[in-house]
Amino acid sequence: MTEEEPFGVECRIKTRQNSYRYFWLKGAAALKNGQAKRIVGSLSDITDQKLHQEALKKAKEQNDLLAQAIDCANVGITIVDATKPELPIVFANKTFQQITEYGDEVLGKNCRFLQGEHTQQQALDEIREAIIAHEFVKVELINYTKSGKAFWNSLQISPVFNEQNQLTAFVGIQQDITAAVEAKKELEQAKQAAEQGAQAKSEFLASMSHEIRTPMNGVIGMLSLLEDEHLTQTQLHKASLAMGSAKSLLNLINDILDFSKIEAGKLELESLDFDVRALLGELVESVALQAQKKGLELILDVTQLEKPLVQGDPSRIRQIITNLISNAIKFTEQGEIIIRAWFSEVDNKLRFHCSVEDTGIGIPEDKADRLFAKFSQVDASTTRKYGGTGLGLAIVRQLCELMDGDIAVSSRFGHGSQFEFFVTLIHGDNTQFEAAKIDLQGSKILLVDDNLSALTSLESQLRHWGADVYKASSGIQALSLCEAEYQRDKNVFDIALLDMTLRGMSGEQLGAALKNDKRFKAIKLIMMTQMGTKGDGQFYADRGYSGYFPKPVTTKDLFDALTILAEDGKALANAKPLVTSHYLKLVRKANEAEFTWPKPCRILLVEDNKVNQVVALSMLKKLGIAHIEVAENGLLAIELLKSHQDECQFELILMDCQMPEMDGYRTTELIRDGAAGESYQGVKVLAMTANAMAGDREKCLNAGMNDYLTKPISEEPLSEKLQYWLYKSEYASTDDTEETT
């Protein structure tokens, strides 16, 4: 018997458990006389080996995919053998070769060959420390290509550990960030250039502010003095026109400076306690004459302003409202302007709302969004006809946003506009506010006005105080109401408020009709006149009126007048005097002592501009200050102070800031250091400066000045500052400085 050559075959066999296993069948045929008689062989279970082989094959395929992915990555990837001290590169992908221009020659080398001649020691130290500590590191450094070209490399190095937690390799990821670094550098250079440009613009504006305000101080000051002279009507008219033009120019300058401050982020808001109702009353009085010259009715409705003491920036709120009212007057030829104000609470924050509604030219719907743009008006013809910089509403919006608020407009072209804004304020200490208390319960008050909005606003306020209010829109209707009330119970009205400019029967004619009728003689008459009406006190007193004051009627004037009339004049020194807006102001100051300057009162004026010297001297003398000396610069001022050490000392110095020889800042610093004598180290110094940019006030205070007046100087703020500082019991240091405006 002989055997054939052995054979082997792999087979898959189903087991009794219905599972499949892999076997290797090996055998050979036994031959006899060349014919197979039987087969001899063996069967081996190779399932585990088969599965292992498949796993190896799959792993190889995956590794090939991973290798392909690494090669296709858009970042350079290298692997360094960490088991060898020289840390040779054992793998580098195609992107690494593209970035560095190096090929397979990098294998076996240390990565230091990329560093070139100029090393970045800090980055290299970070890499070295991370490699020693077996930690991840990311740095940015300059590397060099094979051709010597420098590039910025964002390099990440990560350690790789085996299953026994032994360090085996470092994986490096390189990325060429040259474009990003250069873009960042260009951005920084552009930012620096922009900052330098902004600084240059700020310095230019500060310089222009000073250069313009200095002569403007002379122009406005001299015109103000001229108006006080004995001029003919024609001369006074011309002086008034010149003053109006000068103030318009100053307003334009202020707009541009305000806009520049806001753009530069240098406009600072104050936080002061103030009475918003009083602010609105004073504001509408200041613009009423302008409105009434155009025949416009100006109406203020503050009935909803409960607890009016708030904390915020009153000057900026006044600026917003003044701008809106001025625009309303400018763009309204006939009709009325209504100012309404109220409070709301949102998320425990106090919001002050104010709307200004007019019956003017209106705004086309498609152009309303241009209103708040910089240097923009609705169209060019508007600018030509009405003037203006086109900055007012842009400034208003930015001021609202600075005070955590906003502004909106609604309008119909040809039918008027309504601007409504809100700003966020803080509740004031209303416990210190003496709320208006007047007992009008049972009082019958007749309102006579042919303007429905004015009538409604007054009615709302009077009903709020408890009065019974009757309304009439004409003299005839008013007489009919009086007749009806007399016929009903012989109890006519206690007080009647009459509009002077009633159509048909005028207010004056209505008043005469009431006074000439015995049935109505007991009614106390108050005439609501126009703001421009002057010298009519005796006229109305002779005709039996109890009072008169101009429209728009403020809450304060109305309250005070009704209080006095309700008490039948007992609150006044004289019996039943004529109650006027001027008299009401006297009543409010009745308990104040008569003002006199402290004695002695000597002032040193330090000013180099001859015209401004004349203006300041004239104002001071007009205020009643007789003892004034002048120095034309800081050096002369110090010498003059030295000569007045013991007798005839100066109580206060008015200091210009920019002067030849020695400016006001340096002069004040030397005075505080004792250069003018020890007795003057604490003297009060008030800056008079044409600089009005952000930080100018702080610059004055840091130099040692006590307070700050901006040119052009006007009489009222000058008087207020002098009264405040001359009546302080102790000399104020720069740490004790208070702003009084």
Side-chain angles (χ1 to χ4, degrees):
M1 297 279 291
T2 61
E3 290 186 356
E4 186 73 30
E5 287 295 321
F7 65 89
V9 64
E10 181 182 305
C11 58
R12 182 169 173 262
I13 301 173
K14 186 177 183 180
T15 67
R16 185 178 294 177
Q17 290 79 23
N18 290 324
S19 62
Y20 290 91
R21 296 189 69 79
Y22 292 92
F23 293 91
W24 180 256
L25 176 61
K26 184 179 181 183
L31 303 175
K32 185 177 181 180
N33 299 323
Q35 294 182 348
K37 296 297 183 180
R38 63 180 181 274
I39 295 176
V40 179
S42 63
L43 189 66
S44 301
D45 188 339
I46 62 168
T47 303
D48 292 340
Q49 182 182 350
K50 178 71 174 177
L51 294 174
H52 181 63
Q53 288 174 345
E54 288 182 354
L56 287 174
K57 182 180 178 183
K58 190 173 182 180
K60 183 177 182 304
E61 292 173 350
Q62 290 176 340
N63 285 337
D64 288 343
L65 288 172
L66 180 60
Q68 291 177 18
I70 291 174
D71 249 358
C72 294
N74 62 356
V75 293
I77 299 176
T78 54
I79 299 176
V80 172
D81 186 351
T83 63
K84 297 180 180 179
E86 61 271 21
L87 300 177
I89 297 174
V90 295
F91 173 83
N93 73 344
K94 290 180 181 178
T95 306
F96 175 83
Q97 296 176 13
Q98 293 170 358
I99 293 173
T100 65
E101 301 175 357
Y102 286 98
D104 291 341
E105 68 264 34
V106 303
L107 299 178
K109 292 184 178 181
N110 186 283
C111 288
R112 283 192 296 270
F113 70 89
L114 293 173
Q115 294 170 10
E117 299 177 359
H118 305 289
T119 60
Q120 299 90 57
Q121 196 58 46
Q122 182 178 351
L124 296 178
D125 289 344
E126 290 181 35
I127 294 172
R128 188 176 296 109
E129 291 171 4
I131 289 174
I132 294 171
H134 302 171
E135 294 176 346
F136 170 86
V137 65
K138 180 177 180 180
V139 295
E140 293 180 358
L141 73 167
I142 296 177
N143 281 166
Y144 294 86
T145 66
K146 188 176 182 179
S147 62
K149 180 183 177 183
F151 69 96
W152 276 95
N153 185 6
S154 175
L155 174 63
Q156 299 180 44
I157 300 176
S158 302
V160 179
F161 301 90
N162 62 17
E163 293 178 356
Q164 289 74 40
N165 202 31
Q166 296 172 331
L167 179 68
T168 59
F170 286 105
V171 175
I173 298 177
Q174 297 85 12
Q175 188 171 7
D176 186 346
I177 59 168
T178 305
V181 170
E182 289 177 351
K184 182 180 178 182
K185 189 181 296 183
E186 289 175 3
L187 186 62
E188 288 175 350
Q189 290 173 347
K191 180 184 176 184
Q192 186 177 8
E195 289 174 349
Q196 290 173 348
Q199 179 65 26
K201 184 176 82 169
S202 179
E203 291 173 358
F204 171 77
L205 287 168
S207 175
M208 285 300 97
S209 168
H210 180 271
E211 294 304 319
I212 294 171
R213 284 173 180 273
T214 297
M216 284 297 293
N217 184 63
V219 171
I220 292 178
M222 285 298 186
L223 286 172
S224 177
L225 295 173
L226 185 62
E227 287 180 327
D228 291 335
E229 299 293 331
H230 299 292
L231 303 177
T232 66
Q233 196 67 28
T234 301
Q235 291 170 333
L236 182 60
H237 177 66
K238 291 177 180 178
S240 298
L241 289 176
M243 177 66 86
S245 297
K247 288 183 176 179
S248 294
L249 177 58
L250 186 61
N251 287 335
L252 294 178
I253 295 167
N254 289 337
D255 270 357
I256 293 170
L257 289 175
D258 269 349
F259 177 74
S260 301
K261 291 178 194 176
I262 295 170
E263 287 287 282
K266 293 183 177 181
L267 189 138
E268 298 177 359
L269 296 176
E270 294 182 310
S271 184
L272 306 173
D273 287 318
F274 67 99
D275 185 337
V276 68
R277 186 187 291 152
L279 181 148
L280 287 166
E282 293 167 2
L283 194 156
V284 296
E285 284 182 341
S286 69
V287 298
L289 185 59
Q290 183 185 356
Q292 289 170 3
K293 282 181 178 179
K294 295 184 70 174
L296 303 175
E297 185 85 26
L298 194 61
I299 300 156
L300 176 63
D301 184 355
V302 292
T303 309
Q304 299 180 60
L305 281 183
E306 299 289 344
K307 297 183 178 179
L309 277 190
V310 293
Q311 190 178 103
D313 191 329
S315 64
R316 293 303 175 183
I317 292 174
R318 184 185 293 110
Q319 182 178 354
I320 292 170
I321 302 172
T322 300
N323 192 294
L324 296 179
I325 296 176
S326 296
N327 277 350
I329 295 172
K330 183 192 297 185
F331 297 112
T332 304
E333 297 302 326
Q334 59 182 2
E336 63 189 22
I337 297 166
I338 307 172
I339 302 101
R340 294 186 178 92
W342 65 97
F343 291 124
S344 71
E345 292 271 356
V346 178
D347 298 330
N348 296 321
K349 292 182 178 179
L350 177 67
R351 282 185 174 180
F352 168 67
H353 299 259
C354 183
S355 72
V356 178
E357 182 179 357
D358 64 58
T359 56
I361 62 175
I363 306 156
E365 187 175 347
D366 61 335
K367 296 183 179 179
D369 58 344
R370 294 176 52 187
L371 281 175
F372 300 103
K374 305 161 190 174
F375 301 103
S376 175
Q377 301 242 13
V378 171
D379 58 39
S381 62
T382 299
T383 306
R384 287 196 299 270
K385 182 175 180 180
Y386 297 103
T389 60
L391 280 176
L393 290 176
I395 292 171
V396 163
R397 165 161 280 178
Q398 289 176 309
L399 287 175
C400 289
E401 290 172 351
L402 282 173
M403 290 185 274
D404 193 18
D406 202 357
I407 185 169
V409 60
S410 59
S411 180
R412 286 179 58 206
F413 186 56
H415 292 82
S417 305
Q418 179 176 349
F419 288 83
E420 182 180 322
F421 76 90
F422 76 87
V423 294
T424 302
L425 302 175
I426 299 172
H427 286 286
D429 186 5
N430 281 283
T431 58
Q432 298 179 7
F433 175 71
E434 188 174 339
K437 297 178 181 178
I438 180 172
D439 185 12
L440 294 180
Q441 294 292 336
S443 296
K444 294 173 64 177
I445 297 180
L446 174 63
L447 296 179
V448 189
D449 199 319
D450 53 12
N451 183 284
L452 179 60
S453 300
L455 206 58
T456 303
S457 176
L458 274 172
E459 178 192 19
S460 177
Q461 183 62 73
L462 293 170
R463 289 195 186 280
H464 182 70
W465 287 335
D468 293 330
V469 182
Y470 296 75
K471 297 181 296 181
S473 58
S474 69
I476 299 299
Q477 188 180 1
L479 290 172
S480 297
L481 279 173
C482 291
E483 180 78 30
E485 285 302 300
Y486 184 81
Q487 293 294 335
R488 189 166 64 86
D489 59 2
K490 303 294 190 290
N491 183 19
V492 292
F493 301 104
D494 300 301
I495 298 170
L497 286 94
L498 315 179
D499 181 23
M500 183 177 73
T501 59
L502 287 172
R503 288 186 292 270
M505 179 184 288
S506 69
E508 182 184 329
Q509 291 170 330
L510 173 59
L514 292 173
K515 282 299 177 185
N516 291 332
D517 193 318
K518 291 187 294 184
R519 298 171 298 172
F520 311 139
K521 287 191 72 172
I523 300 175
K524 296 171 183 174
L525 301 181
I526 296 178
M527 182 65 79
M528 297 182 292
T529 68
Q530 296 292 293
M531 182 62 73
T533 306
K534 295 181 180 179
D536 289 334
Q538 190 60 47
F539 174 86
Y540 288 113
D542 292 343
R543 283 154 181 78
Y545 283 79
S546 297
Y548 85 98
F549 44 77
K551 297 175 76 175
V553 179
T554 66
T555 306
K556 185 66 176 171
D557 280 353
L558 182 63
F559 172 79
D560 287 348
L562 292 177
T563 301
I564 293 169
L565 295 182
E567 295 177 353
D568 200 24
K570 294 176 185 176
L572 307 174
N574 300 318
K576 299 182 181 178
L578 182 69
V579 180
T580 67
S581 57
H582 173 71
Y583 190 81
L584 292 174
K585 292 176 183 177
L586 294 178
V587 170
R588 292 167 202 158
K589 296 181 179 180
N591 296 323
E592 295 180 5
E594 185 179 353
F595 176 78
T596 55
W597 294 108
K599 294 182 180 180
C601 182
R602 295 182 177 87
I603 289 179
L604 172 60
L605 173 65
V606 188
E607 169 67 69
D608 65 303
N609 185 282
K610 296 293 185 182
V611 175
N612 288 336
Q613 287 178 11
V614 175
V615 171
L617 287 169
S618 300
M619 284 187 180
L620 291 169
K621 290 177 180 177
K622 186 178 177 182
L623 291 173
I625 299 174
H627 302 287
I628 312 160
E629 292 198 42
V630 179
E632 293 187 356
N633 59 56
L635 289 175
L636 294 176
I638 290 176
E639 292 302 316
L640 192 57
L641 291 172
K642 285 180 180 178
S643 66
H644 289 70
Q645 289 294 317
D646 301 320
E647 297 180 358
C648 303
Q649 282 202 350
F650 296 104
E651 280 73 42
L652 184 141
I653 302 173
L654 289 171
M655 181 79 71
D656 186 27
C657 289
Q658 294 192 9
M659 296 177 291
E661 305 296 337
M662 183 184 291
D663 63 28
Y665 305 114
R666 183 58 182 158
T667 305
T668 305
E669 289 171 354
L670 290 175
I671 291 172
R672 298 303 183 211
D673 290 339
E678 185 177 347
S679 61
Y680 281 114
Q681 282 185 282
V683 68
K684 303 177 184 72
V685 180
L686 272 61
M688 289 195 315
T689 176
N691 295 330
M693 297 297 288
D696 289 326
R697 179 177 183 274
E698 289 70 21
K699 187 176 180 181
C700 292
L701 300 182
N702 291 337
M705 301 179 187
N706 297 90
D707 214 332
Y708 174 96
L709 278 165
T710 304
K711 292 179 180 178
I713 306 297
S714 57
E715 186 177 317
E716 186 175 349
L718 175 62
S719 177
E720 288 176 357
K721 295 284 187 183
L722 292 177
Q723 289 180 41
Y724 178 80
W725 289 106
L726 289 174
Y727 273 100
K728 284 182 73 72
S729 58
E730 298 179 356
Y731 288 128
S733 68
T734 54
D735 295 330
D736 187 39
T737 302
E738 277 187 65
E739 188 171 4
T740 57
T741 59

